Amino acid sequence: MIYNTFELHQEGSLPGAHLVTYIQEYSDALAINDRPLILLCPGGGYTRTSDREAEPMALKFLAMGYHAAVLRYSCAPAEYPTSLKELAYSIKFLREHAKEWHIDPHKIVVEGCSAGGHLAASLGVFWDEDFLAESQGLSASEHELLRPDGLLLCYPVITSGEFAHRGSFENLLGSRQEELGEKLSLEKQVTNKVPKTFIWHTFADQSVPVENSLLFVSALRRVGVPTEFHMYEKGAHGLALANKLTETNDGRAVQEECTSWIRLAHTWLESLFAGDVEDGLHAQGREW
């Protein structure tokens, strides 16, 4: 495996922000040539990035046959759009190295948990905005370099409204709550340019209510973005893999009923990568 750490130096980036890559070695003895890649954004309320939602989950995706990368993005006191620019840079960086690392540049999915789900979904709704392309030195015709090929959201923070996780927005926006709260309430920013999406959440989540996912799913449905959504009855917030591999020190975050999410996500990913639900952008053929 090619394991590397790359420091991030976007405007506003804090010391320690970095991208970790887990690239499976190419071998001409294998039929596999270029692999899909899952780019993970751990949660943590925009105060930190959770270890439980980082390497353990990356290794799970590696075992499924994908490349993986973990974004340790800048959190408070860094504010929006610093972490979004770091994510945009990361996906562009991975596509720029696609040939070298045998990544399929048309099969990069951004995964995010909790506040990391908000970050992943933010790229999903804002990837074609001029300010983001300009921050990466891209022209208007190069916006697609920043577009994820899919979103995989685990109990995501989405809304700044009635069901908001207030702490996440306070950390992300600081004193600009009134100025940017509406823009960062992502269910209000959905268009048909959002990539296909897989979401799971639990009915019992008391930290980030399931309405966050329900609002996003409803918005995606209205504009016709193919979406798969799973709501589990039991399970607290922040389950990660929901098994012993991501159990907390005090014995929490093991919920057998929810462990199926990763298998369901694998099935969804394989269908997505097989082209069963190809979108117009892929059909046009992107040359990277």
Side-chain angles (χ1 to χ4, degrees):
M1 179 169 60
I2 303 171
Y3 175 89
N4 277 312
T5 300
F6 300 93
E7 294 183 0
L8 300 172
H9 300 288
Q10 298 297 292
E11 182 181 1
S13 289
L14 298 181
H18 61 276
L19 178 71
V20 183
T21 59
Y22 302 79
I23 305 298
Q24 303 202 40
E25 292 274 9
Y26 169 78
S27 171
D28 57 13
L30 297 173
I32 299 173
N33 187 5
D34 295 340
R35 297 174 187 265
L37 182 141
I38 314 300
L39 174 54
L40 291 86
C41 302
Y46 283 117
T47 62
R48 60 185 178 86
T49 55
S50 167
D51 292 340
R52 296 175 49 255
E53 295 163 347
E55 185 165 273
M57 292 178 62
L59 295 178
K60 191 70 173 179
F61 286 114
L62 279 173
M64 293 176 178
Y66 310 132
H67 297 308
V70 175
L71 176 61
R72 296 291 196 161
Y73 52 90
S74 296
C75 297
E79 295 181 0
Y80 175 85
T82 299
S83 57
L84 182 57
K85 289 180 179 180
E86 291 171 346
L87 178 54
Y89 170 82
S90 296
I91 196 168
K92 180 173 75 79
F93 177 78
L94 291 166
R95 284 187 166 133
E96 289 171 344
H97 289 269
K99 186 174 182 180
E100 174 188 354
W101 292 337
H102 291 275
I103 300 169
D104 187 327
H106 304 305
K107 296 180 179 178
I108 297 179
V109 166
V110 177
E111 183 274 346
C113 297
S114 191
H118 184 271
L119 176 57
S122 294
L123 186 63
V125 301
F126 297 135
W127 64 267
D128 64 339
E129 292 214 353
D130 289 341
F131 86 92
L132 205 53
E134 290 169 2
S135 75
Q136 304 307 315
L138 299 176
S139 67
S141 64
E142 296 175 308
H143 281 198
E144 288 175 16
L145 275 169
L146 306 182
R147 183 184 187 271
D149 296 296
L151 297 177
L152 204 170
L153 308 178
C154 307
Y155 39 88
V157 173
I158 293 293
T159 184
S160 66
E162 178 183 357
F163 301 102
H165 183 257
R166 296 296 175 194
S168 289
F169 287 96
E170 290 168 2
N171 292 321
L172 178 64
L173 299 178
S175 62
R176 298 179 296 163
Q177 299 292 315
E178 290 188 12
E179 175 190 352
L180 293 174
E182 184 87 357
K183 179 179 177 67
L184 273 295
S185 197
L186 301 180
E187 80 279 10
K188 299 178 181 180
Q189 309 303 329
V190 170
T191 70
N192 61 6
K193 294 181 180 180
V194 176
K196 300 168 192 65
T197 302
F198 178 101
I199 310 180
W200 74 277
H201 217 123
T202 69
F203 181 87
D205 193 328
Q206 297 297 305
S207 297
V208 178
V210 70
E211 281 83 359
N212 281 263
S213 287
L214 293 171
L215 288 165
F216 201 59
V217 169
S218 295
L220 293 168
R221 169 68 176 168
R222 279 195 298 273
V223 298
V225 174
T227 302
E228 182 168 333
F229 172 57
H230 298 275
M231 181 173 67
Y232 295 91
E233 177 188 357
K234 299 178 181 179
H237 187 68
L239 289 176
L241 294 174
N243 61 22
K244 288 287 186 178
L245 294 175
T246 52
E247 183 179 9
T248 61
N249 288 328
D250 58 3
R252 293 182 297 107
V254 175
Q255 194 73 48
E256 178 63 30
E257 296 90 336
C258 299
T259 57
S260 63
W261 80 263
I262 192 73
R263 297 191 297 275
L264 295 167
H266 188 196
T267 300
W268 177 80
L269 286 166
E270 290 301 287
S271 176
L272 177 72
F273 294 149
D276 293 342
V277 286
E278 285 290 341
D279 62 23
L281 288 171
H282 281 181
Q284 293 169 17
R286 292 177 283 179
E287 297 296 333
W288 298 327

